[in-house]
Every structure is written in C-alpha cells, then in structure tokens.
Amino acid sequence: MKDLLIVGQGLAGSVLALKAWQRGLEFMVSSDPARPSWTRIAAGLFNPVTGRRFVKTWMADTLFEEIYQFYPWAESVLGDGLYHPRPIYRVFTSRQQRLEFLNKVDQEPMGRFTPQVFEKGYLPETIHHPEGGLFIPGGGWVDLPRFVQEAAMWLKSHGRILDHLVTPDEVIWHDDHAVWNGQSWRKVIFAEGARADQNRLFAHLPFVLTKGEVLTLKVPNLELNGVVSRGKFILPVGNDLIKVGSTYSWDDTDPVPTEEARKDLVTGFEEICRLPYEIVHHQVGIRPTVKDRRPFIGMHSEFSSACIFNGLGTKGVSLAPYWADRALDHLFDGKPLDKEVDIRRFGEN
Ligand SMILES: Cc1cc2nc3c(=O)[nH]c(=O)nc-3n(C[C@H](O)[C@H](O)[C@H](O)COP(=O)(O)OP(=O)(O)OC[C@H]3O[C@@H](n4cnc5c(N)ncnc54)[C@H](O)[C@@H]3O)c2cc1C
C-alpha cells in the first residue's frame, strides 16, 4: 500500500508533494492536464502587513518563519530563481492615510514586520509618492508559474506524477484506506483549488470563489528593486517586465479577461508610475477563497482516507508551506488540527 495520492498539482499539491518527499512518504501526484492550475497566473507576493488598516496578517510570525525556510529549500531542489525576498513599498494615497498609519503603529506593535515611514523622494522619480509611504520588511514574491512548472518536471523525473483526473467516484473508499486504479492508498488528499466546489465529498464547504485579473507590462527603464503598492501593486519580474494586480470579483467567476479589469489595472499602474508601457499579457484566474478566510484541511467524516487541503485563497504563498506540514502531521501522525483550519468547523460531510 502506498501512503498518499495527492490530487492536483497547483501550489497546494506541489507544496504537499515536496513536504511528503521531505518525510520519506510513498506518494504520487495526479494532475489533470486538461484543467488549468490558476497558480500559473498568480503574482506570488507574500506581505506581512496588508489591508486598508495596515494589519499584520494572520499568524504572520509563524507562517513567515516557514516561508523563509521552505522556499529557499525548494529552490535547492527545483532550481534557482523561484524565491525573491524584496522590500515592499506601500505608498500613501493621502495625508489622511499617513496620519491613520502613524496613530495605529503606536498602538499595535508589529515586531520584526514594523513598517518604516519614508518621505517623498525616497523612491525613484518615476514612482508617484507625494505623501511618502511605508517600507514593509519581511516580504517578497515567489515565481509561482515557474514553481509549479519546475515541480511538475521534478515529479516527472522521479516517476511521481500521473497525468490523470481523479474523481471521488472512481475511488473505492474503505474505512482505513482507498483503492484507485488498482492501487491501495492510506490517504487520498484533494488539492483541487477552485475546482473543489465540484467534489461531492466536500460539497458542504463554503467556498466563495474570487476571480482575479493581472496584467504584464513592458516598462523599460523602471529602476525599482521592490514591490510598490497603492491599491494595486506593481511587481518587477525581470527583463523590463512588471506584473500589475490584482482585481477581485465575486459575482463574475467566468475565467475570461474583462475590459473593465484591464482599465482598472491600467489606471492603478498609471497612478503609481509615470513611464510609458506596453501591455504584454492580460491573464485571469480563480482563487479558492473561503467564507472565513482560513484554509480547509481535514478528513471526510465517513471515509477517513479521503482528505482535503484547499482554501488557500488570496495568500497561498504564505499559507501553503506551514499548513501542508500540519496537514501531514494530522494525517500520518494523528496530531490534532487547529480548529481554525479544520473542516469540521463547518459540520460533518
Ligand atoms: C490573479 C491572482 C493573483 C494572485 N496573487 C497572489 C499573490 O500575490 N500571493 C499569493 O499568495 N496568492 C495569490 N493568489 C492566490 C493563489 O494563486 C492561490 O492561493 C493558489 O494558487 C491556490 O493553489 P491551488 O493549488 O489550491 O489551486 P490551483 O493552482 O488551481 O491548482 C489546482 C490543481 O488541481 C488540478 N485538479 C483539480 N481537480 C482535479 C482532479 N479531480 N484530478 C486531477 N487534478 C485536478 C487542476 O488541474 C490544478 O492543476 C492569486 C490568485 C489569482 C487568481
């Protein structure tokens, strides 16, 4: 009997696979080439202080410690150029916003992630920042399209990938194991991203899928060493290319680029940067977001071999490494799951 069948090879499935490898588990990954992984269009930012109210993100101390360990290690396995620790510059939109931040920072210490205020003139002239902004330490980005592509090649080279759709109906579920394709598995873990809403075993989970769109622009001469955010973000990714993101749409989850989002992103870019640009790509993806913004981890209440690792939402880069470890601790070592991420918070299947 093999230990683990991972269904899906986006960010969630790839991180699970690398963690399973670290533990010496006997695993395989099934990936349906006909279904897109939305990880392939994501910007891959990790940012410890976010939101209109400058909040330290949930569990930042723990999750970011794991980011700093995991992605450099993943690079050593998959190849260089995946992990990019970078400063994040959050530009103030108004004097009022600057005052709001200064009031807040006195009240809520943020430890190693405490942002530093900078003044007009700190960033290159081509970046519009008349009210200055914040330098946020501890952030950066992971090249997610490359990460999943390199992970696929690595899995293939180790004979760990099956180019196959796996649906719950093709699996024979027993109390303590499952059989798929004539092979027995101790656990089958579904890491299907936004497709999970079609999985009948976990149909009760309240996904609130979010469509997002991103532009890639060619902007010669943008000399910027970090990410700039001002409502939208601009992320230099090399070769004069920058990503501009992202939009959020809950009503329209049709994965088709829209003119409205294109205009919104172009405006967002022009509010930050004054250089001429050319649009190279306009991409769209669906985030597996969850009502309470916490991951979905756990086992089916009737078939304990059927498991889920999903709900990474808008913060897959920071959530995946730490929670993949906790998921494997739970499935293979019987360690209890944190109630905040356990799917049982939404009742039994
Ligand atoms: C526009 C946009 C910008 C984003 N920016 C960021 C960001 O800056 N930082 C950040 O942290 N996150 C960001 N995200 C979110 C991040 O992309 C997600 O959290 C993450 O990609 C989710 O990964 P996943 O593996 O769960 O899903 P996916 O990447 O969609 O992967 C699921 C995989 O499962 C496969 N699959 C599904 N069902 C089956 C089946 N039955 N059998 C076999 N295979 C199956 C699919 O083919 C797919 O390959 C962004 C998302 C979008 C859309």
Side-chain angles (χ1 to χ4, degrees), residues 13 23 29 52 58 68 77 113 126 133 136-137 147 154 161 172 177 181-182 188 192 219 253 270 298 305 316 340 342:
R23 289 170 187 237
V29 179
R52 259 179 241 149
W58 178 61
Y68 305 147
V77 175
F113 303 121
T126 47
I136 302 172
F147 177 78
W154 176 77
I161 204 143
I172 303 163
H177 73 285
N181 215 10
V188 177
E192 300 172 286
V219 189
T253 50
E270 289 174 349
S305 51
E340 276 198 271
D342 191 332

Side-chain angles (χ1 to χ4, degrees), residues 7-13 30-46 144 164-167 190-195 210-214 233 246-247 283-288 309-318:
V7 181
Q9 197 248 312
L11 175 63
S30 93
S31 170
D32 177 11
R35 295 183 181 207
S37 157
W38 302 123
T39 303
R40 287 175 188 269
I41 71 119
L45 294 174
F46 53 97
L144 287 183
H164 210 298
L165 172 79
V166 177
T167 64
F190 290 94
E192 300 172 286
R195 292 284 176 160
T210 317
K211 174 174 173 176
E213 300 185 45
V214 198
F233 64 79
S246 303
T247 60
Q283 291 168 298
V284 59
I286 310 295
R287 304 174 181 93
F309 182 65
N310 206 319
L312 299 182
T314 59
K315 297 197 169 136
V317 169
S318 39

